[in-house]
Amino acid sequence: MGRKKLAAGNWKMNGVKASLGEIEALVSAFTAPPNCDVLICPPATLVSAMVAVSRGISIGGQDCHANASGAHTGDISAEQLADAGASAVIVGHSERRADHGESDAEVAAKAEAAWRAGLTAVICVGETEAERDAGEALSIVGGQMAGSIPAGATGANTVLAYEPVWAIGTGKVPTLEDIAEMHDYMRAELAKSHPAEAQNIRFLYGGSVKPTNAAEIFAVSNVDGALVGGASLKAADFGGIIKAASEA
Ligand code: 13P
């Protein structure tokens, strides 16, 4: 049983209506559907407009509140993302954990909110540079997994993204051996916590993925795709990553 590769883009706080042209260029560059799943997570302001032009590409949010509605100014619920046409949502990105102090427990609650609304939760974990230098990368990620992945996670409702904080937006990428060590460890940990679904849940690597390094990363053990920031903003770059995922 194989896990289909997933090329996922996280636009972060980038993009305005004029940026929809990149999606139109991306979809028109593929004459046949790629042999992988494709997800783009634009800012919430663009979700419904992007759904309208996305033709087979799944669209997701970048965060959601744990509640379905209520007095939470500025927040967006998973139900609202679903209503806008999203099919997934990123939860627990390191930028949310750092900028908004999100705890593992809050991330887990957001993942459950995603499922409640029928969305796939893309749950993010990853160590800082200081933690890696201290030899703690595996234990930090293991702890984040234990706290952030609710019991109900399945291959259908959850994707796990390993994004070392020090590799995000820096051009620094772990060695392929280090990625393999982490992803193999994550699979083993998931086999303990979620024995029935551990082989079904896809693992994305994220952090400075480019068209030039995507193929070698996709060939690594237990890497089922990528979560891409900067290189997802341009159709030519993200198209190269989708092609690499298709051919992996
Ligand atoms: P970059 O690809 O820009 O390093 O960002 C990775 C990321 O944080 C995706 O969520």
Side-chain angles (χ1 to χ4, degrees), residues 117-235:
L119 303 180
T120 298
V122 181
I123 302 175
C124 300
V125 295
E127 83 286 356
T128 64
E129 188 152 40
E131 289 162 347
R132 178 158 285 270
D133 290 347
E136 295 167 354
L138 297 182
S139 62
I140 290 289
V141 167
Q144 290 172 337
M145 288 176 64
S148 310
I149 308 176
T154 70
N157 69 19
T158 298
V159 171
L160 192 58
Y162 167 59
E163 298 203 307
V165 176
W166 51 274
I168 295 176
T170 59
K172 289 197 258 179
V173 180
T175 64
L176 299 179
E177 291 73 24
D178 284 344
I179 296 175
E181 178 188 42
M182 181 61 79
H183 281 234
D184 289 351
Y185 167 78
M186 287 161 48
R187 189 73 66 197
E189 287 296 292
L190 204 58
K192 291 185 222 158
S193 61
H194 297 71
E197 289 291 331
Q199 297 303 322
N200 301 331
I201 294 176
R202 291 185 285 188
F203 294 174
L204 308 182
Y205 166 78
S208 298
V209 177
K210 310 287 176 208
T212 46
N213 63 14
E216 63 185 25
I217 291 171
F218 293 151
V220 171
S221 158
N222 280 308
V223 172
D224 305 311
L227 183 54
V228 183
S232 72
L233 295 169
K234 290 280 168 235

Side-chain angles (χ1 to χ4, degrees), residues 89-134:
V89 60
I90 298 168
V91 295
H93 191 282
S94 60
E95 288 152 15
R96 303 278 325 166
R97 291 177 186 262
D99 295 354
H100 301 272
E102 290 185 8
S103 66
D104 288 335
E106 284 169 309
V107 174
K110 290 175 180 219
E112 290 187 317
W115 302 342
R116 185 187 63 218
L119 303 180
T120 298
V122 181
I123 302 175
C124 300
V125 295
E127 83 286 356
T128 64
E129 188 152 40
E131 289 162 347
R132 178 158 285 270
D133 290 347

Side-chain angles (χ1 to χ4, degrees), residues 44-73:
T45 48
L46 291 180
V47 166
S48 63
M50 206 175 270
V51 167
V53 297
S54 62
R55 286 201 281 157
I57 293 179
S58 299
I59 303 301
Q62 299 176 7
D63 174 53
C64 65
H65 195 279
N67 293 356
S69 63
H72 303 289
T73 302

